[in-house]
Amino acid sequence: MEKKLTKNEKISRAMKGRTLSDEHKLKLSKAKKGIKRSNETKAKIKQTLLGDKIKDLKKDHPEIPKTNMSRTHLTAADVKQIRDRYSNEEALSIRQLAKEYNVSRHTIHSVVTYKLWR
């Protein structure tokens, strides 16, 4: 006996493989602009975006030894704190961390995924 699908599951199956036009994407972004999301919703979005990678995030991050890089905006303590907060605080996003530490989102993403400060 097949499981009865919910309305959202039916829509999801029907839309699978379709791409949205640029005009439609623009209308969606305008409609969502200014919407505040709850921490629970932010955590769900983070879980969806990371998928299986969330299991690979370490819960305890050792402090990286100080380097002689002269152009760095982040200290070793900052990097440890960023990794700790991102992996332990559910609703915290890369965008929020980037704004807080005054660096780009790419920098925070590279730190969290160990591409920088290995």
Side-chain angles (χ1 to χ4, degrees):
M1 188 157 118
E2 192 174 321
K3 176 186 152 191
K4 187 172 181 176
L5 298 176
T6 65
K7 178 182 173 185
N8 287 341
E9 289 171 332
K10 288 179 185 176
I11 292 171
S12 178
R13 282 192 180 178
M15 296 299 290
K16 191 168 188 163
R18 293 186 185 178
T19 57
L20 301 176
S21 68
D22 291 336
E23 181 183 355
H24 191 81
K25 288 178 186 178
L26 183 63
K27 286 180 181 178
L28 286 173
S29 69
K30 284 182 181 178
K32 292 181 181 182
K33 195 167 194 134
I35 294 176
K36 300 287 183 190
R37 295 189 173 111
S38 67
N39 286 343
E40 183 180 322
T41 304
K42 289 178 185 178
K44 286 180 183 178
I45 292 170
K46 182 176 178 180
Q47 173 69 38
T48 303
L49 291 175
L50 290 175
D52 293 336
K53 293 178 186 176
I54 203 159
K55 296 174 193 166
D56 298 336
L57 290 177
K58 298 175 184 174
K59 296 298 179 191
D60 184 39
H61 307 281
E63 189 160 325
I64 301 102
K66 188 174 182 179
T67 63
N68 294 328
M69 297 189 321
S70 60
R71 296 181 341 181
T72 184
H73 294 275
L74 300 172
T75 64
D78 289 340
V79 171
K80 179 182 177 354
Q81 188 177 28
I82 288 168
R83 288 178 178 157
D84 285 341
R85 290 182 62 201
Y86 185 74
S87 60
N88 295 326
E89 294 180 31
E90 287 185 358
L92 191 64
S93 69
I94 287 177
R95 185 181 302 258
Q96 290 169 328
L97 285 169
K99 190 173 184 179
E100 187 176 323
Y101 287 94
N102 200 25
V103 294
S104 70
R105 289 178 293 166
H106 176 72
T107 301
I108 299 295
H109 181 267
S110 297
V111 165
V112 169
T113 56
Y114 290 89
K115 290 179 182 166
L116 292 177
W117 293 85
R118 294 177 189 230

